[in-house]
Amino acid sequence: MTDRRHFIKTAAGLGASLSLFTNLKVRAQEGPAPRRPLILCSRGEEWAEKVLRPGWNVFEKGGDILDAVEESARVTELDPEDQSVGYGGLPNEEGVVQLDACFMDGRTHNCGSVAALEMIKTPSSVARLVMERTDHIHLVGEGARKFARAHGFKEENLLTDKSRKMWLRWKENLSDKDDWFPPKDGNYDLEKRPTGTINILALDSQGDLAGCTTTSGLFGKLPGRIGDSPIIGAGLYVDNEVGAAGATGRGEEILRTCGSFFVVEQMRAGKSPREACEALCHRIVKINGGPEKVNFTDKIVAINKNGEAGCFAIQGRKDKPPKAAVITAAGIQIVEGGYLIEVG
Ligand code: ASP
């Protein structure tokens, strides 16, 4: 098993470095030097410094790209104030926090993921271990938890009081035909069912790429529902020859378009990261029958091998465009994206 895995890794790594060589030659004639290393997170000002700095510190110490990605991904997972990722994430219909995450290494095309994982604060780290320490790619539910336990992860209650109260208000507000009375401390508006998730994409100084997506998924989801976030090609895709992409928002739409894979392939065909993300937004709107039929949003982020970054969303507001943030040797920059449908 080890030999086969080693072979896969070596073969993929060789392919990647050959094409890196070709790409670099082309770029040398084309213009500006690649901007690397670089880390992107799919959130703007509020989280940029907190999330990106720990990953950047790994690069500054000469560390590996996977460590950089993991350090950044763990920030929101461990923060109870963030209610869409990891500890303190928003629970499913039954009030249980079930987490999804995946990890991908562009150098080898290796990947790992966990879904519907309960009681473990950092699913990104478990997904990385699935990638590095097993011959599988996806582990779900109880199996994922047993695997995490085997690797020494502590099992803890992930439901903070803040998330529990939000869930309770939502539950009490769902129907006037059940036995739950309406919320005592104010309604929870289902129209604004929160989404979250974070994508981390990185390019190191050798031009290698990696990424991670982590989430507590759709608030109030059916127990066992798995979104796009832990699915390779949907919530995340990384290809060392081209770039990396990640998605947040309505996961079912990203799943049925193989969203992140689609975006990487658009970049392979010549689009910039922002144009590639926009192309996916158009595709999703089209298969839904046009803008007037769309009552959800997705946001896509991408980077290419030159260190260009972009993002685009289905819905947006003039005063609140979709954003991502990148860190490079020049510091942190906010990447402002476009959107297709203006919402109030
Ligand atoms: N994409 C995630 C999911 O569908 C949710 C989100 O991004 O907020 O599970």
Side-chain angles (χ1 to χ4, degrees):
M1 189 171 76
T2 315
D3 283 341
R4 182 160 67 83
R5 187 155 269 256
H6 178 73
F7 171 75
I8 293 170
K9 283 184 175 169
T10 315
L14 181 64
S17 36
L18 286 177
S19 46
L20 165 64
F21 182 64
T22 325
N23 286 349
L24 282 179
K25 270 207 317 210
V26 173
R27 233 171 274 123
Q29 295 154 3
E30 270 177 0
R35 207 165 56 129
R36 60 194 197 210
L38 168 149
I39 309 173
L40 172 144
C41 84
S42 56
R43 294 190 184 177
E45 293 87 348
E46 200 192 334
W47 285 93
E49 173 70 31
K50 268 189 276 188
V51 167
L52 294 172
R53 191 63 62 188
W56 187 255
N57 290 342
V58 174
F59 275 156
E60 280 203 324
K61 288 184 198 129
D64 187 72
I65 188 168
L66 299 183
D67 295 330
V69 170
E70 186 179 349
E71 281 302 313
S72 283
R74 286 164 59 97
V75 173
T76 43
E77 290 179 333
L78 290 168
D79 187 338
E81 288 308 309
D82 180 283
Q83 287 186 289
S84 64
V85 178
Y87 175 49
L90 288 172
N92 66 16
E93 194 183 42
E94 293 176 348
V96 177
V97 181
Q98 290 190 325
L99 303 175
D100 295 342
C102 73
F103 222 104
M104 188 161 184
D105 183 346
R107 295 170 292 197
T108 56
H109 263 76
N110 271 345
C111 35
S113 106
V114 289
L117 174 65
E118 295 177 15
M119 299 186 76
I120 307 290
K121 280 182 172 172
T122 53
S124 63
S125 300
V126 187
R128 179 178 173 186
L129 282 168
V130 173
M131 170 174 85
E132 293 183 325
R133 307 299 308 152
T134 79
D135 198 28
H136 303 321
I137 291 180
H138 295 297
L139 289 182
V140 305
E142 191 50 25
R145 179 142 67 114
K146 282 182 182 161
F147 173 77
R149 200 186 298 150
H151 276 277
F153 286 79
K154 212 164 108 199
E155 290 175 73
E156 293 162 87
N157 178 15
L158 302 183
L159 191 65
T160 54
D161 231 37
K162 191 171 156 195
S163 294
R164 182 190 56 76
K165 282 184 182 148
M166 203 158 155
W167 168 80
L168 186 63
R169 279 208 305 281
W170 171 73
K171 187 91 186 158
E172 289 184 333
N173 196 46
L174 267 183
S175 166
D176 52 13
K177 296 196 178 68
D178 64 19
D179 294 332
W180 297 80
F181 287 152
K184 215 172 157 191
D185 55 351
N187 280 355
Y188 180 72
D189 181 1
L190 194 59
E191 286 298 307
K192 295 200 195 104
R193 201 168 170 183
T195 55
T197 309
I198 192 160
N199 314 117
I200 307 291
L201 308 175
L203 173 69
D204 70 12
S205 51
Q206 281 94 54
D208 291 322
L209 291 146
C212 171
T213 293
T214 179
T215 190
S216 57
L218 193 66
F219 175 37
K221 62 192 174 184
L222 297 182
R225 176 265 189 189
I226 294 170
D228 59 320
S229 309
I231 305 298
I232 301 299
L236 176 74
Y237 196 69
V238 183
D239 187 312
N240 229 34
E241 286 186 8
V242 179
T248 59
R250 174 84 187 151
E252 280 69 10
E253 300 300 331
I254 301 294
L255 278 165
R256 62 193 186 130
T257 49
C258 301
S260 294
F261 180 74
F262 178 92
V263 170
V264 169
E265 291 307 300
Q266 294 289 315
M267 291 194 285
R268 193 192 306 279
K271 286 196 165 62
S272 71
R274 178 180 163 125
E275 289 165 349
C277 296
E278 181 176 358
L280 177 61
C281 293
H282 279 292
R283 168 68 62 95
I284 292 173
V285 170
K286 187 170 170 213
I287 65 170
N288 276 279
E292 56 293 335
K293 296 270 168 48
V294 169
N295 65 352
F296 58 82
T297 192
D298 286 299
K299 185 174 90 178
I300 332 295
V301 294
I303 60 173
N304 66 15
K305 251 183 121 66
N306 277 337
E308 291 160 339
C311 74
F312 216 89
I314 291 178
Q315 294 184 334
R317 279 183 8 205
K318 263 198 205 87
D319 61 338
K320 221 177 155 203
K323 285 178 184 173
V326 294
I327 187 164
T328 64
I332 289 176
Q333 279 175 287
I334 300 300
V335 179
E336 219 173 271
Y339 55 88
L340 296 182
I341 304 168
E342 178 94 34
V343 286

